[in-house]
Amino acid sequence: MHDRDAYVEKMKAKLDEWNQDIDRLEAQAEGAKAEAKARFQHQLDELKAMRDETIERMHAWQSASADAWETMRHGAEAAWQDMAKAFQEAANRFK
């Protein structure tokens, strides 16, 4: 169970970073011209959807039994890495 708790804490810390990135990008979008602002808003919506999906997965992992967590662990790590990569790619489109 300790591994799961540590994993969830790691995920929470990363989600906090993503939330800060989203806030920073929202501020950047506010200062953009109308056309760019619409593009930024679409990308922000994508980032928020990815963040929300990650939160849902995290809640499922937290509530899983110890046996279920052991079974889910490898899939959880792969899903987390996929989400992190997608989030980074979406954030890079802002630059």
Side-chain angles (χ1 to χ4, degrees), residues 20-31:
Q20 290 173 358
D21 288 344
I22 287 171
D23 290 345
R24 181 181 48 79
L25 294 172
E26 281 181 322
Q28 181 180 346
E30 285 298 316

Side-chain angles (χ1 to χ4, degrees), residues 59 68 86:
H59 289 302

Side-chain angles (χ1 to χ4, degrees), residues 15-61:
L15 285 168
D16 287 343
E17 285 181 35
W18 286 352
N19 284 327
Q20 290 173 358
D21 288 344
I22 287 171
D23 290 345
R24 181 181 48 79
L25 294 172
E26 281 181 322
Q28 181 180 346
E30 285 298 316
K33 294 185 181 194
E35 184 178 313
K37 190 173 185 175
R39 183 175 50 90
F40 285 155
Q41 188 58 52
H42 177 74
Q43 291 172 349
L44 278 166
D45 291 344
E46 287 180 9
L47 291 174
K48 289 176 183 179
M50 284 183 241
R51 178 202 56 202
D52 294 345
E53 182 180 338
T54 302
I55 290 170
E56 287 178 27
R57 287 181 181 190
M58 183 181 68
H59 289 302
W61 297 329

